[in-house]
Amino acid sequence: MPIKLQYLGIRYLAEPARLILNYANEPFEDCRYSQENWEPIKASSPYNTVPILTVDGEQIAQSMAIYHYLARRFGLAGEGETEIAKVEAIGEYFREMMNKILPYLLFLIGKNPDGTKVMLVL
């Protein structure tokens, strides 16, 4: 059964998983949802969030868990405790960077960090 990656129609949190899968030459189904298409699916998804990775019928949710799973599966998680810690540190740096850029990305789609619509005063 092929791997399936589900996310919204943007790169953001699913892109590292896509990069790992492509690096490993692993075929996968890349499902990208519009906000409208995602809403009906949301309630039945783990934690009501994306990304979701489905492997052999099992769903794995939460971006960092997905990255760690794929890194281990394709031999990218490091060897030995120190190397593994360094690989995990890169992952944590990525997470922190994505959290810092989130307000800017929300602004680009017209939303404030609290989800309200951006009101521009000229």
Side-chain angles (χ1 to χ4, degrees):
M1 181 178 280
I3 292 176
K4 179 178 175 181
L5 180 63
Q6 297 168 267
Y7 195 59
L8 302 173
I10 58 174
R11 292 180 180 172
Y12 200 53
L13 294 177
E15 197 63 16
R18 289 185 190 110
L19 290 170
I20 293 169
L21 289 163
N22 281 300
Y23 177 82
N25 292 318
E26 182 71 23
F28 67 101
E29 182 181 351
D30 192 2
C31 297
R32 299 182 190 217
Y33 300 114
S34 67
Q35 193 65 40
E36 296 78 32
N37 292 343
W38 164 241
E39 286 303 323
I41 300 167
K42 186 176 184 178
S44 64
S45 69
Y47 312 111
N48 297 323
T49 62
V50 282
I52 302 167
L53 184 73
T54 305
V55 181
D56 297 327
E58 295 286 330
Q59 289 186 329
I60 302 168
Q62 299 298 318
S63 55
M64 292 304 285
I66 291 169
Y67 310 154
H68 286 271
Y69 168 80
L70 292 173
R72 286 190 305 274
R73 179 172 174 153
F74 298 115
L76 302 172
E79 294 179 17
E81 295 299 319
T82 304
E83 191 173 287
I84 291 168
K86 288 179 179 181
V87 170
E88 290 175 353
I90 293 167
E92 285 299 313
Y93 175 76
F94 171 79
R95 184 186 57 76
E96 289 175 6
M97 180 183 65
M98 296 307 283
N99 286 341
K100 289 178 183 176
I101 199 170
L102 183 58
Y104 173 72
L105 295 174
L106 289 171
F107 177 79
L108 290 177
I109 63 169
K111 293 189 177 186
N112 287 309
D114 65 3
T116 60
K117 188 173 181 177
V118 171
M119 300 299 286
L120 296 177
V121 178
L122 300 174

